[in-house]
Amino acid sequence: MAHSFELFFTLESFISYYRLHELVIPGEFYNLLCKIPPEAAVDALRILYTREECRIWQPLPSLKKIWNERFNLALGHRPRPQPHFAYIYKVLVTPTTIHFELPQLELSNRVIRRFWDHADRFLRVQFVEEGDTPLYLQDRNGPFGMGRVCQRIRDTLRHGIRIGDRYYEFLGFSASQLRNSGCWFFSSTKDLNVEDIRRWMGDFSQETVVARYAARMGQCFSTTQPVFAVQSDQIKSLKDIVRNDHTFSDGIGRISQDLADQIAEVMGRKDKPTAFQFRLGGAKGVLAVHRRIKPNTIVLRPSQMKFSTKHKVLEINTAASYAIAMLNVDMVSVVNSLEVPGEAFMEILSEMVNSVNDMMTDGDKARAVLRASMDGLGNNRDLARIVEAGFFERGDPFIKNALTAFRAHRLKEARERTRIPVIKGASVLGVLDETETLGENEVFLRYIDSYGKAQVVEGDVMVFRSPTLHPGDIRMCKAVDCPKLKHLRNVLAFSSKGERDIPSMCGGGDLDGDWFTVIWDERLFPPHFCRNQPPMDYPKMRGKELSKVTIEDVQAFFVEYMLNDQIKQISAAHRAIADGSPKGVSDKNCLELARAHSIAVDYAKTGCPANVDLELLRVNSYPDFMQKKGKPSWKSEKAIGLIYHKIDPKDYLNYREDLSNPIIDKYYDPRIQAPNMERYIGAARLLKQYYDRQIREKMTMNGITTEAELVTGFVIDWLHKDKSKKMYEALNDIRKEMVRFRNDWRLAEFPDDMPREELEAKAAAWYYVAYHPLEQERQVQEAKKFDNWYQGGCGLISFPWIPHEILCDLAEKNTTEEMESSKYPTFDEATIRLYKPHGIPSPHPYKSREEYDVRNDDGYAVSVVPEHGPRKWF
């Protein structure tokens, strides 16, 4: 196995998760793996992982079956990741063992990109409980008590991890990793070690507080997309706006319009965002477009400068976008405590429930709901476009299943997480009014709706950010139209005037990347006498200073943080006390917990833990909506409880019964026809095999049971998920991953410079191989030979919707009485075989798969897929 570390690591994953046991692996299995080219062998193992639902008792026959189908499966032919993505190795360290995760393609960071030749030597390590659930060290009893587990963590950080012939050492961690008990390790070579990497990252010696030292290092591990290098003369400086010891400009800088346009082009953002969360050397925060600065210029403030480094590449974390506002548990609890009656929330809930029910039978309502439900990623907008093209009213199973998942997900989120969309609301990135036009307590919001029209909000608005625990975290502001700020889109501009900046009043927020929710639905406004309660005066904490911080100090802080992190316990106690107290979040215990929560959130940066009275955290019973199994509970009568009781879980738990089975329904839209589409069918067959393989792997790895849930991101039921992640983190990661996945396929297979008639022919061919009854039957019969996924007779049909806009345009162009009354096309095999896989006529039909086999140095057959699209991929 020495010839491929990835192969060794993949096999270790099988064994560590008990999918394989060493005692049932025959020597011939290892011999076969060694004879297969490394990448093809890894692909074969990954396919084996997705096709066997539990322990594999006969691995050799299963591996031989997959190898015999290597031509159709395109073993060893992988998409080349974009420069800002990398295959990441990860292990989960439990109190007793180590689990190896299959390498996944993820957004990279500047460190991995700088040392790209050694990218496979970086290792993500996460400390978890047995069963891969989050690890909590407080009040831990039993043979593996707090002391023993802490010592295991310390030993791992100090002495490293050995995997095969590699020795991994502790490197560092980002802020998000620290919150999830994770960090980076690196396996040194004779030319590069962890100290070399840290020196390259920057100079952190000016930081004498361990937590701040670790946080500055962590900036380098933020997942980002690099856009372009910046020269020193392009960067200008500007003073912060400070008043009454409050920094109104905390984290916000400026960028010229031309550079913002360049960023948008690199990111493929046709909407041209006007603000970006960024990293640039040792600086971080947000850059917002400013019209009065010179072209090719970036302006930074002192509050954005964190450390010095030679790295001068501008990197983007996120770009400004508009998403619909969502209620959440903590916000509802606070607003309900501010005398907003439960009936107001129930009215909004009823509107949501009615809309998602009506959309299942009414195409116009489905389009309206999807258009109103912007998610910031474009998923719902794309589904709305498919509905508008007439596929829903014709019974297309893909859009029908997508809407079924959408409805079930909305109902589940409302009941279990109190997440309810507010149509008159938005979630946007916060920026500063650099023109000094807005008055005290005024804001400016201009957003682009799903139809591409600009909307300016005017009048009273409610502004908040998460977390929201204190009565003063909800701010009522005045939204005004400001012509001087009309160049800003999909951001919330705050005034630079007043006694105190509004972001800091919203749960201690700032402008270095915080997203704010704005609501202009008057039903949710507190009465005037309850508005703008005194905000919390968030304390400025600073941890113990050392003369010099060492990496051993950073490791010790990692363990200390795990011991003292109490965010989850504080939040749970706050919710329970707020629901049980007549004063709600204004209860004195809730106010004390809100203050402690603020300190706990900043613990990773300050090094100062929240010292909470343990009696406050010892809640004996909980409201029923918190679903604390095995704990005493009461029926909540407040707004959150009303929402929880209103929705019957049966309304979303039985969603699978409503899903359409394309193999049984035999649906085909005759409008999807284009001249010369038969030229691309052969290639489409091969590509669909590869695409379906990737989809199945993603479903298996994430424990997602249906294709509709995966491709839309509306996951209702998890067989299993990354238990170390919170639900919203897992959902967000799935959605972002699928957007990236679709975009990669779209850019590779349907480039903008391809002639329109070829784009239509190719898209029609993709639709043909996914929907045509003969193609579906051919795929099922072939797959049944070796694929457990097809035993239920349900195929995958998301493949042709990668170029959904081309299919929609083609369908609308062909919406004629003659076309709709025609029969769908059918091409015989002789016609299909006349063309090479990339659509160019060939005098010779396809060769047999045996003719594509060549021999490696050991004389073993190696599959070679003939030239076919996407040539940029394979």
Side-chain angles (χ1 to χ4, degrees), residues 695-716:
I695 289 294
R696 291 178 197 140
E697 181 176 304
K698 292 179 186 298
M699 290 171 67
T700 300
M701 294 299 299
N702 292 286
I704 297 174
T705 57
T706 68
E707 181 186 27
E709 291 172 81
L710 176 70
V711 298
T712 62
F714 305 133
V715 183
I716 301 100

Side-chain angles (χ1 to χ4, degrees), residues 207-228:
E207 296 294 351
T208 56
V209 176
V210 179
R212 290 171 64 88
Y213 185 100
R216 301 299 175 245
M217 285 181 56
Q219 284 180 223
C220 300
F221 296 115
S222 297
T223 54
T224 55
Q225 178 175 350
V227 286
F228 48 71

Side-chain angles (χ1 to χ4, degrees), residues 415 624 635-637 640-648:
R415 182 177 186 270
D624 53 356
K635 183 178 180 180
S636 173
E637 300 295 342
I640 301 173
L642 295 177
I643 294 170
Y644 178 77
H645 302 139
K646 181 66 176 178
I647 298 177
D648 187 341

Side-chain angles (χ1 to χ4, degrees), residues 590-606:
C590 282
L591 294 177
E592 186 175 341
L593 286 169
R595 183 179 181 84
H597 190 275
S598 172
I599 297 173
V601 167
D602 290 338
Y603 177 25
K605 296 182 293 184
T606 65

Side-chain angles (χ1 to χ4, degrees), residues 462-481:
M462 177 193 295
V463 178
F464 64 93
R465 62 177 282 277
S466 293
T468 306
L469 280 76
H470 189 272
D473 289 345
I474 301 289
R475 310 310 299 174
M476 292 299 301
C477 303
K478 192 76 172 180
V480 298
D481 190 4

